[in-house]
Amino acid sequence: MNTNDKSTVVLQVAFFKTEKGNEPVRSWLKELPIEARKTIGTDIKTVQYGWPIGMPVVRKMDTGLWEVRSTMETGIARVLFTVVGDTMVLLHGFIKKSQKTPQEDIETANKRKKLLTK
C-alpha cells in the first residue's frame, strides 16, 4: 500500500426529509436553472468522492455542519450538509446574496441536523 494515499471515503448522498416526507433541498434544486443544477451537482459529487475536502469547495460552518460552495454564472449557491456515518445529508440550500452566510440559513440547517438524531 502506498503510504502517500489520502484516506478518502466515498459518501452516500441523501436529502433531508421532513416528517411529511418533503425534501427541501431537492425542491430548491428543481426550481433552479439546469446549468445551476449541473454546477451544484458536480460540486456535491466532488465532496462525495473526495471527502474529507476543504476550501475552496467545502467550508466548515459549525460543529458537524459544512457548506458546499458553488459559483455559477447566475450567482453563488450554498448547500449546507452534515455527515452521518458514511452519508452526506443535504440539509439546506440557498442562493447567497451577501458576503457572509446569513445566520438564519445556518440555523435552518442546524434545526434539520438535530431532527436527524431524534
Side-chain angles (χ1 to χ4, degrees), residues 14-73:
F15 289 96
F16 168 82
K17 268 190 184 161
T18 65
E19 284 183 11
K20 294 181 179 177
N22 298 327
E23 295 172 323
V25 176
R26 187 188 302 265
S27 298
W28 172 74
L29 285 168
K30 285 180 177 179
E31 293 173 8
L32 297 176
I34 187 77
E35 287 306 315
R37 289 197 306 252
K38 284 181 185 176
T39 299
I40 295 166
T42 298
D43 291 339
I44 289 170
K45 193 172 172 183
T46 298
V47 177
Q48 179 184 10
Y49 286 92
W51 185 255
I53 191 171
M55 293 288 277
V57 180
V58 172
R59 186 172 80 161
K60 185 167 183 147
M61 301 304 290
D62 205 344
T63 304
L65 184 69
W66 295 268
E67 68 176 1
V68 178
R69 303 160 53 87
S70 298
T71 303
M72 308 155 307
E73 282 183 27

Side-chain angles (χ1 to χ4, degrees), residues 88-117:
M88 173 185 190
V89 182
L90 308 180
L91 299 167
H92 180 59
F94 60 98
I95 299 295
K96 207 167 164 191
K97 292 179 173 57
S98 63
Q99 191 71 22
K100 192 171 164 79
T101 299
Q103 191 60 36
E104 174 183 322
D105 290 304
I106 294 170
E107 287 170 9
T108 296
N110 273 325
K111 283 179 192 165
R112 291 175 180 168
K113 183 178 73 160
K114 284 180 184 143
L115 291 172
L116 295 174
T117 56

